[in-house]
Amino acid sequence: MTEEEALKTWEEFLHGRLSKEDERLLLSALKSDVELRNKVLDDLELHRVLMQFGVGEEEFLNSFRERLNAEGDHRAITDAVAEAISREGNTGRGGRRSIFRVLVPLAAAALVLAAVGLYFFHGRHAQVRPIRIVMKTGPVQEQGNEFATGNDTYCRLAFADGGIIGMDKNTRLAASFVGEPAAKQIRQDAGRIYLDVPRQARPMTIDTGTFKVEVLGTSLLINRTGQEYVSVLDGRIKLMCGEIGTYLRTGQHAFTGAGQPITVFTAPLQPQMLGWIGSIGLEAKGILDESESGTRRLSAGGLDLNNYVVDGGLWNIRTEGTSTIVSQELASGGHILFGPSRWKKGDLVCKVRPVRPLAPGADMGIGFFYPQGGKEGYSLTKAARLFRQYDAWINLRMSFEVDEESNTMTAHAVDLSVEGHPEATWSFPAGEKWIRRPANSVLKERGPCRIALNCWNCAADFRDLRLENAVAGDADADGPLFAYIFKGGKRDKIEDVSGVGEAVAMTVGKSANVQWLDDAIRLTGPADIACSGEMQRLRKAWKQNKAVTAEAWIRANQFTAKEDLPRLFMRMKVSGATLWFDLGKEGVPKDRFVQAAWVCYDDGDSFKTMFFIHGGQKRLERSIKGNMSLDTRQGPIEFCLVPSEKDDAPGRETKELWQGDLIALKIYGRKLTPEELRLSAEAGPPK
Amino acid sequence: MHCCVERHIAAPNGWYSGIYRVICAVISGLRHMHEGIDRSGERSQELLVLARGGDKDAFCELVKIHQASVRAFIARYVHDSDQVMDLAQDTFLAAYRRLHQFDSSHELFPWLRGIARNCALEYLRRTGRRRRREEAAMEESLALWSTERLERDDNGGMDYLQELKNCLAKLAESSARVVQLRYFQQLSVDEVAAELGRTEGSVRMILMRLRQSLRKCVEDELHVEEAQK
């Protein structure tokens, strides 16, 4: 084929007029003749560019704007969360654990999508607000850099270059900025504030009228309600009262009045002093820990996270049973929900509504994010779009599961329904699953995942956004590591229904002393109901968290009066060290369901226990004799209910065995709080 | 009638003038667009500042200025027009997110071009395997060669579209009409032939020669620009 013939043939190919045989000949010629090939490729490039003239600019721009507004937000969510969580792996755990410091990165990560509203431009130069509201629970009066909360409103402010102020209700303050770099000056007129500021070039001052505080980098509490005082949570401050000055360090408090000397004392921070900060989300420390960056703080206009500007948006924290859920409202109308980390399965329940019913971007999905980087997600694009024509809430329930062993994430039992439109429902075909396998990684090498729900171009009703039946995956889990429900059994084996990792069943050692009921197992004597295998997860959790909680649902037939003897209920043993769990003398009416919980932990000096019924503490904290540290004890953990063994080990108070009906037992690898126990009690025994 | 072409050819009369006006409008638009870039360096800086602050409208203004060039760059290597559109949008989205990384003392287009190159390369590599399985041998080979070309592409900040625009402005009237029908109106070759009262074969030959002359012109323009640098 000559060059001229080849070019003629090429022209026919370009316009779809070439036979297969001629195409083969042309290809052969192009492969053998580099010069010809280059000519053809030059021509092809020009042809393609010319073809672009047929594409309208408006069409392109409209389409791009749509993506910028819609998909841009979505990507920002996923990237920001992945980035925030990926930094967890690099976070040292030994540093100071300021609550605010923990909060900042998560808030910032979530705020990524809240986009751009608080930037203001003056002339050609963008001016970033030096202080702004990043979270509030209600209306906050705001005028320039002056802020005031009302009777039932809490608020959190963030400085553009790092640092946060939490405002209690009925608090009023004004911020000003002097010089370059700016020295921050806060005038606190009323109420209570909580500051967490990074180390900075120039001291920040807080003036209450009575005294003046200078800080370079610390967290502290300043109270102007009633007795005025300053408490230093971390770091060092300079306190001035008139001409008198002193320095305060971590754990020190000072109070004073006009013209009075400064009184300094050292004491632990009392709960009533800090309790209010839960209202600005600080109680979710456990969750927020996981997103801590360790080094990055809020910067100009928010946190510049993964190339996105962080700004705006409000977030919510809510406790569901024993779990806390953090969610972030997005400026786009979307929503992002952070479940506790390391949940491996559960039901995601939410309610969304397309912001723009006919917009192609109305969508939602669930994502899994990993500390070591990477993310996988399910998009519910098609399903969500089925109902775009309805201007109504769409209810979604989706069961999901992450299986590290098979390296899969599976979604099943997806149900969608449109409120007010019974005909509009969609369900996953029975037995069908969506299975995802990460393309380039192995799940178990990534570390435990964290779940986040992304909704973009959708409004989400926060009240209907939750995770149900969620099961955690390892020792760091919030949920139970082991769970046993004693009902309707006949055999001597009780399965572990926690769904967490490898199941460890319990077996009844003395069948003659038990009787199976419809809803429980009745214990009439020493039963020796013991774990049949090694409780690896508990060992790991205990070593890590230095704490364990056992929660039992029981119906006693003995201890009805306070004068009753304590009764031995449970025993935990490791390499000769034994913990005895007894109950009795609580004065609980007979035949009543009772949730009893033992919380054991190592406070650094010794092991201690607390006992709760229905979330109420029934026994004061007390030390346990003996060494239960798992750092030195390597044997298997033996867990036994109503043991027949009757030695006189230290810490044991009774030789009498408990008798009654046992309904359920859950074992956690951490300290459950009284509030968690109370909520669990209110929820009733597991079904 | 004021048009960039009128310096080279007289304005036609009758039915011809309608098409002529379309070409003039397109070419004039292209010229204006690029002159706009030159003229509005200051404006671009303003838009950049605003866009960096998160102003999406300002960023869309920048997109409007550069979208044709970015699309043209991607189109040189990616065959599918829809993909070109998507990749150009990917390019701008990526640029929006990395805007703070951009050194505003430099021109924006070369930076965008670099992002576009990466987007196109990623796309070509990603789809390369599938192509080998699914597509015809010729398409597969062209995609492979295009990928190789793009990988070698080191044409700095050269704006292919800018040079092409200059060359289009020099086209003779009859040639401009063929280009307009085939590429601007996206008519097929047989439709163009019917419109012009010619055979398909002759239209294909005209198109081939047109592109040859345009290509030569673009190369010359690029060489001149390079020499001037």
Side-chain angles (χ1 to χ4, degrees), chain A residues 4 7-8 10-15 17-18 20 23 26-27 30-31 37-65 67-76 79 115-116 119 121 123-126 304 306-309, chain B residues 26 30 33 42 46 49-50 52-57 59-60 63-64 67 71-72 75-79 81 84-86 88-90 92-93 96-98 100-101 136-139 141-142 145-146 149 152 160-161 164 168 179 182-184 186 189-190 200 204-205 207-208 211-212 214-215 219:
Chain A
E4 189 178 344
L7 290 174
K8 194 174 172 183
W10 164 250
E11 190 63 36
E12 290 177 2
F13 168 79
L14 207 54
H15 300 290
R17 293 279 189 247
L18 199 62
K20 284 288 168 194
E23 186 179 309
L26 174 62
L27 182 60
L30 293 178
K31 282 182 175 174
R37 185 163 78 218
N38 283 332
K39 277 186 183 176
V40 161
L41 288 172
D42 286 344
D43 187 62
L44 179 64
E45 287 183 12
L46 181 58
H47 172 75
R48 288 168 175 170
V49 173
L50 287 167
M51 289 299 283
Q52 282 297 307
F53 287 128
V55 181
E57 180 184 295
E58 281 306 307
E59 183 189 349
F60 178 85
L61 287 172
N62 289 339
S63 176
F64 175 71
R65 189 179 288 275
R67 284 187 67 185
L68 188 63
N69 291 334
E71 189 178 338
D73 282 354
H74 164 229
R75 290 193 178 182
D79 291 350
V116 189
Y119 276 103
F121 297 95
R124 292 181 182 179
H125 303 288
D304 179 20
N306 203 28
N307 302 332
Y308 293 93
V309 174
Chain B
V26 171
L30 287 169
M33 186 181 77
E42 197 176 331
E46 287 176 26
V49 170
L50 293 170
R52 277 181 169 161
D55 186 333
K56 289 182 177 176
D57 289 336
F59 187 73
C60 284
V63 172
K64 192 173 181 180
Q67 55 92 21
R71 272 166 44 204
R76 290 175 64 186
Y77 305 100
V78 176
H79 183 63
S81 285
V84 172
M85 187 108 146
D86 283 350
Q89 292 185 358
D90 289 347
F92 286 113
L93 281 174
Y96 179 72
R97 292 168 185 159
R98 297 178 203 158
H100 72 285
Q101 295 175 352
M138 177 65 100
E139 290 288 352
S141 300
L142 289 174
W145 293 330
S146 288
R149 281 192 153 211
R152 285 199 308 268
Y160 192 88
L161 188 65
L164 180 59
L168 278 171
V179 170
R182 177 70 183 101
Y183 291 113
F184 287 70
Q186 305 265 296
V189 172
D190 52 345
E200 282 185 45
R204 280 200 295 273
M205 287 308 294
L207 284 168
M208 187 175 77
R211 288 200 308 274
Q212 278 175 354
L214 281 172
R215 203 167 64 236
E219 282 169 6

Side-chain angles (χ1 to χ4, degrees), chain A residues 525-544:
Chain A
D528 284 339
I529 302 174
C531 280
S532 56
E534 167 62 336
M535 303 173 97
Q536 286 289 354
R537 297 194 293 280
L538 187 59
R539 170 180 288 280
K540 186 178 169 192
W542 197 340
K543 281 185 82 164
Q544 182 169 308

Side-chain angles (χ1 to χ4, degrees), chain A residues 184-313:
Chain A
K184 303 180 182 74
Q185 297 177 350
I186 306 295
R187 191 190 72 233
Q188 184 186 353
D189 297 326
R192 190 156 47 176
I193 61 172
Y194 188 19
L195 294 102
D196 188 356
V197 290
R199 189 155 191 87
Q200 43 208 291
R202 302 181 64 183
M204 173 175 168
T205 59
I206 305 102
D207 192 342
T208 70
T210 307
F211 52 77
K212 185 183 276 189
V213 177
E214 274 187 21
V215 300
L216 277 173
T218 183
S219 60
L220 70 153
L221 183 72
I222 301 177
N223 182 61
R224 285 207 65 190
T225 57
Q227 174 72 60
E228 289 192 26
Y229 61 81
V230 180
S231 300
V232 182
L233 281 73
D234 188 24
R236 182 169 178 260
I237 66 166
K238 182 180 178 185
L239 178 67
M240 297 291 295
C241 183
E243 297 299 315
I244 307 164
T246 187
Y247 286 93
L248 297 184
R249 292 179 175 77
T250 304
Q252 288 191 311
H253 315 261
F255 61 87
T256 184
Q260 297 175 7
I262 300 172
T263 304
V264 178
F265 62 100
T266 303
L269 216 56
Q270 297 303 306
Q272 63 269 28
M273 295 163 74
L274 274 178
W276 64 277
I277 63 171
S279 301
I280 53 172
L282 300 181
E283 283 178 345
K285 182 175 181 297
I287 289 177
L288 304 175
D289 270 352
E290 292 159 19
S291 293
E292 182 181 8
S293 71
T295 54
R296 299 186 76 163
R297 309 287 298 238
L298 281 173
S299 59
L303 179 68
D304 179 20
L305 180 67
N306 203 28
N307 302 332
Y308 293 93
V309 174
V310 177
D311 210 341

